[in-house]
Amino acid sequence: MKESKNFIENIIDEDLSLGLEQSLLKFRFPPEPNGFLHIGHVKAICINFGLAEKYNAPIVLRFDDTNPEKEEQRYINAIKDDVSWLGFNWDEERFASDYFEQLYLWALDLIKNNKAYVDSQSSYEIANQKGTPTTPGVNSPYRDRSVEENIKLFTDMKNGLFGEGKHVLRAKISMSANNMLLRDPVLYRVIRKEHPRTKAKWVIYPMYDWAHGESDYIEQISHSLCTLEFKPHRELYNWFLKQIAQPEKTKPKQREFARLNLSHTITSKRKLMSLVKSGAVSGWDDPRMPTISGLRRRGYPPEALQEFVKLAGVAKRENIIEASLLEFCAREELNKTSNRVMVVMDPLKLTITNYPNNEDEILLSENNPENPLSGQREVPFGKELYIEKEDFKIDANKKFFRLTIGKEVRLKSAYIIKANEVVYDDNNFIIEVLCTYDSKSKSGSGSEESQRKVKGTLHWVSKKASIKIEVNEYDRLFENPNPAESESEEELLKMINPNSSKTVFAQAEPSLSKAEIGDKFQFQRKGYFIVDNNKTPLTIFNKTVGLRDNWKK
Ligand code: ATP
Ligand code: MG
């Protein structure tokens, strides 16, 4: 089957066919280090790194660190960790702040060419003169300052002679341009805040539009891919490039793709930040967060995130992808890769009355039937076991294929048992089920009895050998499929599902005592789980996702 190409690949192919040299292809992923990356960024990462792989071209990880009010070193570190964890390597690591000097020199050139001026109005006044999409704006009274005066003022701005908000540098394009972004956009403003990298060296900082395309140009990026909201910026991007680009150099081409939105969550750093700041979640890596680090802690494998983005597709129109698709991708991947273990979440004691006293045995169970190389593990069996409370019923109807009085079920990788009697406590709660077992029915023993078919198979653990573990179970952070619609932070916080997290204790087969942080398992019949912490008295697991989609109507 011929692999179909997405529209970005078609654009690149066309450029190549029109004479662009393959060796000039170069891509970048340009996050602003003002928060952690989320599932939406995974799409941008997969697109850019994917293209670099496909076309065998270099890729730059560029931190768009032009606003010291919001950016921090710890975000830079987290972004690098996340991109690596997803499985991508970058050829160059760059920072827009490395280009501050060059950007400043180019800004001086613009002034000298009468293409930029210092405006001494307030941001309020400037905004008021912008006009509307149907009416032109009004020229600033400072628009016709002389080149000499502009150079002097701009140099003084740079040298820290002015406080914030006194002056800005604006491009001189046109106040009546149809595209409002071209109505003399601001290039520089004064911010009196230390920058995580350049420290106190600069007090003027370039705006996004001025820094972004010029950084692309400096790095000689061939295709600068961003999300659709930047489409109107393309004209400005090209205008700036026209002012600075040398004819023999590559002029980067900006193209836009649709953002990835995920149902039942939000994909905006600003809103995720408010969840973190308000304490509604435990941090950026709270396992309920749609951040890469949250998804990692939740147990999502990187392959599942990549596959999800692939299935969601590269489109030119925005839409919201169902969270269940992401969960589906996790299940598919984890089913292939995670070892099976038995864990009883809500234990009920089961005693096999005809099993010899003090004669425990070790049974073998397949680690992963999907993976023939995964081998087997030992699981201790004995007279006293735990099964799930919900797997036993006194009053069972015909459709209940689990354990009930007088019926047989198989204990996974063990024997067929039959329930005979129950023991009640003083409050009339069932506290124990008394069974007998068919000693010849051992799984895998090859005996005739072992081939006998019974309707249900239950998981279990040995009462004596099992270990207690702690399990965090999660549900969607928002029950509302589109929390992004919320109009205020307050409204957003009110939408949080109050039952999105609970902690329970469970009894696990002893093999889990050796589990390391990050190990992933299928708890049979229960779902997929990852070790979050094994330094605590009880090993803590996070539930990734159940075996089935519980949200299906
Ligand atoms: P946010 O609005 O969440 O803060 P952003 O666009 O400001 O996101 P950046 O760090 O500037 O975040 O983004 C880095 C790159 O990731 C940009 O090219 C941006 O277009 C892309 N990106 C951000 N969010 C998404 C998304 N939801 N889907 C696809 N790409 C995205
Ligand atoms: Mg941004």
Side-chain angles (χ1 to χ4, degrees):
M1 200 177 79
K2 201 172 151 263
E3 208 189 326
S4 70
K5 299 208 169 185
N6 65 42
F7 79 96
I8 300 175
E9 292 162 346
N10 288 334
I11 290 171
I12 296 171
D13 286 350
E14 192 186 341
D15 289 340
L16 290 173
S17 74
L18 291 175
L20 175 67
E21 272 179 56
Q22 167 97 27
S23 63
L24 294 181
L25 288 179
K26 191 171 180 184
F27 303 95
R28 92 281 175 264
F29 171 62
E32 183 180 358
N34 61 349
F36 280 51
L37 299 179
H38 52 65
I39 184 75
H41 291 108
V42 177
K43 175 171 177 178
I45 294 169
C46 288
I47 287 179
N48 287 298
F49 283 83
L51 288 169
E53 258 166 36
K54 193 158 200 165
Y55 290 93
N56 195 20
I59 175 144
V60 179
L61 173 61
R62 183 201 314 143
F63 292 96
D64 212 336
D65 57 345
T66 52
N67 184 354
E69 288 183 316
K70 294 196 197 143
E71 295 152 6
E72 292 179 28
Q73 182 62 40
R74 68 188 181 105
Y75 297 137
I76 294 174
N77 302 344
I79 288 169
K80 289 187 347 188
D81 282 352
D82 287 347
V83 176
S84 303
W85 175 80
L86 266 179
F88 296 111
N89 301 308
W90 47 96
D91 300 285
E92 298 170 21
E93 180 178 320
R94 301 275 181 252
F95 294 84
S97 57
D98 294 341
Y99 311 138
F100 282 169
E101 185 70 31
Q102 175 66 75
L103 292 171
Y104 169 72
L105 295 174
W106 276 331
L108 280 176
D109 287 344
L110 288 185
I111 295 175
K112 286 175 199 157
N113 294 330
N114 199 19
K115 293 277 171 62
Y117 61 97
V118 172
D119 196 339
S120 309
Q121 300 180 98
S122 67
S123 56
Y124 176 80
E125 286 166 313
I126 292 174
N128 267 344
Q129 293 164 353
K130 265 262 136 115
T132 70
T134 49
T135 54
V138 174
N139 283 356
S140 160
Y142 300 99
R143 201 171 194 267
D144 293 319
R145 275 180 160 144
S146 69
V147 169
E148 290 67 34
E149 193 185 358
N150 279 320
I151 289 178
K152 164 102 180 49
L153 282 168
F154 186 51
T155 316
D156 288 350
M157 270 172 77
K158 178 205 175 225
N159 290 335
L161 269 59
F162 305 119
E164 290 186 9
K166 284 264 178 293
H167 309 278
V168 292
L169 184 73
R170 295 177 74 178
K172 195 188 273 192
I173 307 179
S174 162
M175 288 307 288
S176 53
N178 283 331
N179 182 340
M180 304 243 320
L181 292 169
L182 268 70
R183 294 186 185 171
D184 290 9
V186 173
L187 296 183
Y188 277 95
R189 74 283 201 210
V190 171
I191 299 178
R192 297 225 163 236
K193 177 116 200 276
E194 273 222 356
H195 185 280
R197 292 175 56 83
T198 59
K199 305 296 173 205
K201 177 158 187 233
W202 294 89
V203 294
I204 53 167
Y205 288 94
M207 299 297 287
Y208 172 86
D209 285 306
W210 175 237
H212 200 89
E214 293 24 71
S215 302
D216 286 341
Y217 175 73
I218 293 170
E219 290 161 9
Q220 287 289 280
I221 302 301
S222 61
H223 294 82
S224 175
L225 306 166
C226 57
T227 36
L228 277 177
E229 70 271 23
F230 291 104
K231 191 159 190 166
H233 294 246
R234 198 203 280 181
E235 206 180 341
L236 181 56
Y237 182 99
N238 290 337
W239 189 89
F240 283 141
L241 282 180
K242 203 168 137 206
Q243 311 310 313
I244 61 156
Q246 307 283 314
E248 71 280 8
K249 294 262 205 150
T250 304
K251 238 203 223 164
K253 188 176 218 173
Q254 176 186 307
R255 287 297 178 270
E256 308 83 13
F257 57 88
R259 290 178 83 82
L260 186 152
N261 303 302
L262 186 63
S263 77
H264 299 91
T265 192
I266 41 187
T267 45
S268 145
K269 268 189 261 169
R270 185 176 54 76
K271 290 186 177 168
L272 293 172
M273 174 79 84
S274 68
L275 296 182
V276 173
K277 288 231 161 110
S278 69
V281 295
S282 62
W284 286 97
D285 67 347
D286 184 301
R288 294 166 296 171
M289 290 281 270
T291 50
I292 297 178
S293 56
L295 291 163
R296 171 166 68 215
R297 255 188 90 190
R298 180 75 174 262
Y300 277 79
E303 295 82 0
L305 301 191
Q306 287 199 33
E307 183 61 20
F308 167 71
V309 161
K310 209 185 266 172
L311 292 179
V314 177
K316 282 194 231 185
R317 196 153 354 125
E318 281 225 17
N319 55 2
I320 301 181
I321 311 288
E322 274 297 318
S324 52
L325 183 65
L326 179 59
E327 293 160 358
F328 166 82
C329 292
R331 279 189 203 101
E332 290 282 297
E333 181 64 26
L334 292 168
N335 180 44
K336 284 187 275 178
T337 53
S338 57
N339 284 348
R340 276 58 172 163
V341 290
M342 292 197 280
V343 175
V344 174
M345 308 293 292
D346 189 13
L348 172 66
K349 187 177 166 193
L350 181 146
T351 303
I352 304 173
T353 51
N354 63 337
Y355 192 85
N357 287 325
N358 306 320
E359 271 195 38
D360 299 358
E361 62 186 306
I362 300 290
L363 302 176
L364 289 176
S365 190
E366 240 182 321
N367 280 328
N368 182 357
E370 301 289 321
N371 174 7
L373 300 175
S374 64
Q376 294 185 316
R377 70 188 187 288
E378 298 185 336
V379 189
F381 186 82
K383 189 179 181 81
E384 294 186 329
L385 307 172
Y386 288 125
I387 60 165
E388 297 286 351
K389 231 172 235 163
E390 62 176 19
D391 282 341
F392 177 80
K393 256 193 200 167
I394 281 273
D395 302 311
N397 65 21
K398 279 201 188 112
K399 286 197 184 130
F400 188 75
F401 296 128
R402 305 179 217 176
L403 193 59
T404 184
I405 300 290
K407 272 211 178 154
E408 288 190 321
V409 295
R410 173 171 289 286
L411 294 177
K412 173 80 189 154
S413 305
Y415 298 92
I416 294 174
I417 57 163
K418 182 166 152 189
N420 304 310
E421 239 183 288
V422 292
V423 181
Y424 293 93
D425 70 2
D426 296 344
N427 298 316
N428 229 15
F429 285 114
I430 297 172
I431 50 168
E432 188 178 355
V433 185
L434 304 178
C435 301
T436 44
Y437 84 128
D438 175 351
S439 63
K440 299 202 186 70
S441 65
K442 185 161 148 183
S443 292
S445 66
S447 71
E448 209 174 294
E449 288 84 349
S450 74
Q451 320 279 350
R452 198 147 61 80
K453 289 269 175 286
V454 289
K455 272 265 156 71
T457 302
L458 307 186
H459 63 280
W460 52 273
V461 293
S462 147
K463 177 166 181 276
K464 191 161 63 183
S466 63
I467 58 168
K468 193 173 182 179
I469 61 169
E470 199 174 321
V471 180
N472 297 317
E473 295 190 304
Y474 301 105
D475 202 346
R476 291 181 180 160
L477 191 53
F478 296 95
E479 287 174 287
N480 183 315
N482 194 4
E485 273 176 353
S486 58
E487 293 192 343
S488 63
E489 183 179 332
E490 215 187 344
E491 199 187 322
L492 178 74
L493 294 175
K494 269 202 207 128
M495 282 165 117
I496 288 182
N497 175 4
N499 303 314
S500 55
S501 161
K502 75 171 183 202
T503 299
V504 298
F505 298 98
Q507 289 298 127
E509 63 169 73
S511 72
L512 283 185
S513 63
K514 293 193 277 299
E516 300 285 346
I517 293 175
D519 284 354
K520 301 184 183 81
F521 299 92
Q522 184 195 93
F523 291 2
Q524 284 188 306
R525 301 177 62 226
K526 288 290 158 192
Y528 295 98
F529 296 77
I530 183 172
V531 179
D532 191 53
N533 197 341
N534 64 356
K535 307 280 181 276
T536 37
L538 299 180
T539 300
I540 301 173
F541 289 79
N542 290 337
K543 181 169 182 177
T544 310
V545 65
L547 293 179
R548 272 169 292 276
D549 187 351
N550 290 326
W551 278 77
K552 264 196 196 135
K553 286 189 198 103

